[in-house]
Amino acid sequence: MPPLHGEYKVPGGKLVVVDFDVVDDVIRNPRVAGDFFLEPDEALEDIDRALDGLPAGSDAKQVSAAITRELREGAVMLGFSADAIAVAVRRALTDARSWTDYEWEVVHDAAVSPRLHLALDEVLATRVGEGLRKPTLRFWEWEESAVVIGSFQSVKNEVDPEGAERYGFEVVRRISGGGAMMMEKGNVVTYSLYVPGELVQGMSFADSYAFLDDWVLQGLRSIGIEATYQPLNDIASPLGKIGGAAQKRLGSGGVLHHVTMSYDIDNAKMLEVLRIGREKISDKGIASAAKRVDPLRSQTGLSRAAIIEALKQTFTSLYGATPGAVTADELAEAQALVDAKFSTDDWLYRVP
């Protein structure tokens, strides 16, 4: 077997690179490198020694534990961790790919209905998994408002139907898990990533959330927001939460990872539309609700369009993406899926 090579860029941190041989299903001759900081120098030898002799079938927790046991007392790791090295090792063993191994498209088409957005997510992620579409970043445009609930949420527990109707919010269900999102037209920035499963090979779900969100943190920092990733699926700044991510891995091998960030938010309206918002701050009052989410508009003073343009430029500069569009065939397939699934009561009320 030829030498194996794995890389992992720690979200908000440094690059970890690992090379090693596998002999008789055992890791041999490991060499860990990267742009991280480590003190003392000799601690690097501890890490290599911990990896040498590990079974090639070791999972990430076992690899991380072996490094932690071997690392000398007082060693300091800055910009990386034993867990990060473990991810790099697993990515080498699973033949994972990196962002730059792919040709990327950025899609920013005209607005469609909320149901069609959700159907496009399923269609495009499936096609990427099947190799019928390039990996894609798609920004959503909105002409209608919607409450988008997670795949496993109860409609009656999450949404106040009278409040939703009063303010014109359609209630729809997505295919990914996670919590309800109040998506008011003009006041959210939403995007979807459709990626091959190989891009996140060797990562836990938690690791993949951070990995797939790292580019947007860089984009937000470029417009003056000190953005950070908050496990499991939040994007935040020192002033408060900005948005959240959700993810779905499809049978085709494609991965859907989508994010909604608040450009602006009407907290009083949120409390009338979402039941969960009411419960979370029931003992804190409206003033505390305003602190829970700090939108992009207040932090940057930029228009929503300018923020999206900055994010597109960041992604393009990082990964060499080119402009693309949803094809007529993809749109037709998505519309058929709206009719068969996303517009039906069977889907919306599968968890009443």
Side-chain angles (χ1 to χ4, degrees):
M1 179 182 292
L4 299 183
H5 176 86
E7 297 185 4
Y8 178 59
K9 170 66 168 61
V10 179
K14 299 298 183 178
L15 178 69
V16 178
V17 180
V18 60
D19 295 278
F20 56 87
D21 302 311
V22 174
V23 180
D24 296 329
D25 293 324
V26 171
I27 294 173
R28 294 297 183 193
N29 307 313
R31 298 165 299 282
V32 173
D35 60 356
F36 49 76
F37 299 94
L38 177 64
E39 294 290 346
D41 287 354
E42 292 77 14
L44 187 61
E45 299 172 9
D46 299 342
I47 295 171
D48 288 344
R49 185 166 54 250
L51 297 176
D52 196 31
L54 282 179
S58 300
D59 62 23
K61 288 183 178 179
Q62 291 169 324
V63 174
S64 180
I67 294 169
T68 301
R69 284 195 303 269
E70 191 67 30
L71 205 60
R72 66 191 61 205
E73 185 176 355
V76 177
M77 307 169 79
L78 297 175
F80 78 126
S81 64
D83 288 346
I85 299 169
V87 171
V89 169
R90 290 303 309 163
R91 284 174 63 75
L93 289 164
T94 54
D95 192 28
R97 303 292 185 89
S98 67
W99 291 90
T100 52
D101 288 329
Y102 300 101
E103 293 181 28
W104 292 88
E105 283 191 1
V106 175
V107 172
H108 190 191
D109 289 342
V112 297
S113 71
R115 292 172 180 175
L116 191 52
H117 273 309
L118 300 180
L120 281 170
D121 269 358
E122 184 168 339
V123 168
L124 299 183
T126 298
R127 290 198 174 202
V128 168
E130 294 172 342
L132 301 177
R133 159 173 274 280
K134 294 177 182 179
T136 300
L137 166 66
R138 180 175 74 93
F139 285 92
W140 301 22
E141 283 299 337
W142 298 87
E143 288 182 349
E144 306 169 48
S145 298
V147 174
V148 183
I149 64 172
S151 180
F152 310 107
Q153 290 189 295
S154 162
V155 177
K156 66 181 180 182
N157 288 347
E158 302 299 324
V159 184
D160 184 318
E162 293 180 358
E165 184 177 1
R166 182 182 310 120
Y167 292 108
F169 283 83
E170 180 182 9
V171 181
V172 293
R173 184 185 296 275
R174 62 181 184 265
I175 62 172
S176 61
M181 303 295 291
M182 190 180 86
M183 307 225 191
E184 187 169 25
K185 61 181 180 181
N187 280 340
V188 291
V189 174
T190 302
Y191 67 82
S192 297
L193 276 169
Y194 314 109
V195 308
E198 291 83 3
L199 183 62
V200 293
Q201 282 278 23
M203 297 184 194
S204 66
F205 270 93
D207 288 332
S208 70
Y209 272 88
F211 179 76
L212 293 175
D213 282 339
D214 190 53
W215 75 272
V216 80
L217 301 185
Q218 296 182 56
L220 292 172
R221 289 170 193 149
S222 76
I223 54 176
I225 296 176
E226 296 178 41
T228 56
Y229 166 75
Q230 300 292 330
L232 170 66
N233 62 335
D234 285 349
I235 296 170
S237 79
L239 299 177
K241 177 179 174 179
I242 296 170
Q247 194 177 110
K248 177 70 175 179
R249 303 191 181 196
L250 286 78
S252 69
V255 177
L256 163 65
H257 181 90
H258 44 197
V259 169
T260 292
M261 298 180 287
S262 294
Y263 174 68
D264 204 354
I265 190 167
D266 184 331
N267 289 282
K269 186 183 295 183
M270 180 187 74
L271 295 178
E272 294 186 57
V273 174
L274 298 183
R275 295 188 190 279
I276 194 68
R278 222 172 288 164
E279 291 180 11
K280 283 186 176 180
I281 63 165
S282 59
D283 61 342
K284 300 180 179 67
I286 297 292
S288 293
K291 295 179 182 178
R292 288 191 58 247
V293 179
D294 198 87
L296 299 172
R297 181 178 183 178
S298 63
Q299 293 202 46
T300 66
L302 298 173
S303 68
R304 176 180 174 275
I307 290 171
I308 291 175
E309 190 58 35
L311 296 179
K312 287 161 63 175
Q313 289 177 3
T314 295
F315 191 88
T316 299
S317 65
L318 286 171
Y319 309 127
T322 57
V326 173
T327 67
D329 182 52
E330 290 166 339
L331 200 58
E333 184 179 347
Q335 185 57 62
L337 194 58
V338 168
D339 297 338
K341 178 178 178 178
F342 288 100
S343 64
T344 67
D345 285 348
D346 284 347
W347 173 251
L348 178 58
Y349 294 104
R350 74 188 193 106
V351 184

